[in-house]
Amino acid sequence: MLNPTECREMAMQYRREANKAGASPRRASLLRNISHSLSALSHQLEMLADDRLEADQPQTRQ
């Protein structure tokens, strides 16, 4: 399973590939879309990890 850091690194790689000279507009668009998806996945995995931490915390009554 990928972790948030790996997703961000992969997103940067796809973004760099999309920005390379000679990439067709369609290919560049696809690569940018993949980059955006990986960035979103990274954020969602971070939120999931935070949620797990919160769930493991004892509940306090007020």
Side-chain angles (χ1 to χ4, degrees), residues 34-60:
I34 293 169
S35 174
H36 291 299
S37 295
L38 286 165
S39 292
L41 177 58
S42 171
H43 182 66
Q44 291 170 342
L45 288 171
E46 288 172 340
M47 289 189 308
L48 180 61
D50 290 344
D51 185 62
R52 285 183 185 149
L53 287 175
E54 287 178 19
D56 291 342
Q57 297 292 324
Q59 298 292 323
T60 58

